[in-house]
Amino acid sequence: MREGGIPERLMSIIYEDDLSTVLHTEDDIARRVAELGKEISADYEGKSIVLVGVLNGAVVFLADLMRHITVPVAMDLVAISSYGSYSSTSGVVRIMKDLDESMESKHVLIVEDIVDTGLTLNYLVDYMRSRNPASVKVVAMLSKPSRHKVKVSVDYLGFTVPDEFVVGYGLDYAQRYRNLPCIAVLKPEIYAGPDTPPSL
Ligand code: PRP
């Protein structure tokens, strides 16, 4: 475990034994999110943005990122179904919760926690474009390039990650670990073992 990965205050409640490596500490993440916010603010100078967060994983990133954006922002949330509770992707993309507001003539910035196969993002970009916005861009905290099945364009990216099961900072396994403040690799025996836990 990398030094500084899990803050002391969380040691007793977080499942440190379930994790093999901390890829990005809380401090790494805070620094990178601040940089992304600054870059986005500069690029949208004089405009306002609608941040469209993808539930559930993106809420942690969205909440942090929006506080580093200095142009006016509105927010909306969508929920997409692409995975079951277990680790394989079905490739099925459908909207479970739609946009609340019109995107007509707005600058839309889709906020994702991770781009894995890219199927969700691909679908969402097309979906947003069909709503006649002024522009559509994407910010993702993480991307796993080795897993992409389709060509995806991410305008602002936090970090690339290897093809491992990553959790924390909004990312879950069976709804757990989203509250980890760092981004860590889950030990394979946790998600591949015979005692695989059910969803919470
Ligand atoms: C994850 C993630 C992305 C999507 C990426 O969501 O938040 O939305 O999968 O996968 P893809 O690139 O292979 O399409 P998930 O369906 O696990 O839901 P969650 O955000 O509620 O955890």
Side-chain angles (χ1 to χ4, degrees):
M1 184 71 56
R2 188 169 147 184
E3 186 73 20
I6 312 281
E8 197 61 36
R9 69 178 191 277
L10 294 172
M11 281 298 220
S12 59
I13 56 161
I14 285 292
Y15 337 79
E16 197 193 17
D17 288 349
D18 298 358
L19 310 174
S20 58
T21 319
V22 171
L23 296 174
H24 298 289
T25 65
E26 190 172 12
D27 286 350
D28 291 342
I29 295 169
R31 225 178 350 258
R32 189 70 191 117
V33 172
E35 286 170 2
L36 289 171
K38 202 170 165 191
E39 199 184 333
I40 290 166
S41 303
D43 289 356
Y44 286 90
E45 176 95 50
K47 298 174 182 151
S48 56
I49 314 173
V50 185
L51 299 172
V52 176
V54 186
L55 294 168
N56 292 329
V59 295
V60 178
F61 178 40
L62 173 67
D64 284 349
L65 179 69
M66 69 193 301
R67 285 175 285 177
H68 288 282
I69 296 178
T70 53
V71 299
V73 297
M75 61 171 276
D76 208 331
L77 296 165
V78 292
I80 300 288
S81 167
S82 57
Y83 288 138
S85 291
Y86 293 90
S87 58
S88 62
T89 174
S90 64
V92 173
V93 177
R94 72 195 157 110
I95 295 202
M96 309 298 282
K97 184 219 162 282
D98 208 342
L99 295 161
D100 291 326
E101 303 290 334
S102 163
M103 296 293 127
E104 179 99 33
S105 306
K106 296 186 179 160
H107 293 287
V108 175
L109 184 58
I110 299 171
V111 183
E112 261 290 22
D113 53 345
I114 188 164
V115 183
D116 189 350
T117 63
L119 292 169
T120 304
L121 194 54
N122 221 28
Y123 176 85
L124 267 179
V125 169
D126 283 352
Y127 185 70
M128 295 302 157
R129 286 194 180 131
S130 74
R131 300 302 184 98
N132 300 318
S135 67
V136 179
K137 283 190 175 186
V138 174
V139 56
M141 189 61 206
L142 302 176
S143 178
K144 266 188 199 172
S146 58
R147 292 259 311 161
H148 292 184
K149 285 186 181 167
V150 287
K151 193 172 173 325
V152 284
S153 168
V154 177
D155 301 278
Y156 306 97
L157 178 65
F159 303 111
T160 56
V161 286
D163 187 8
E164 309 255 25
F165 203 119
V166 292
V167 293
Y169 200 64
L171 284 103
D172 74 312
Y173 166 61
Q175 300 301 335
R176 301 177 195 204
Y177 312 99
R178 291 194 200 272
N179 57 331
L180 272 177
C182 60
I183 293 164
V185 175
L186 194 62
K187 287 181 182 168
E189 58 263 37
I190 303 298
Y191 57 88
D195 302 322
T196 299
S199 298
L200 290 180

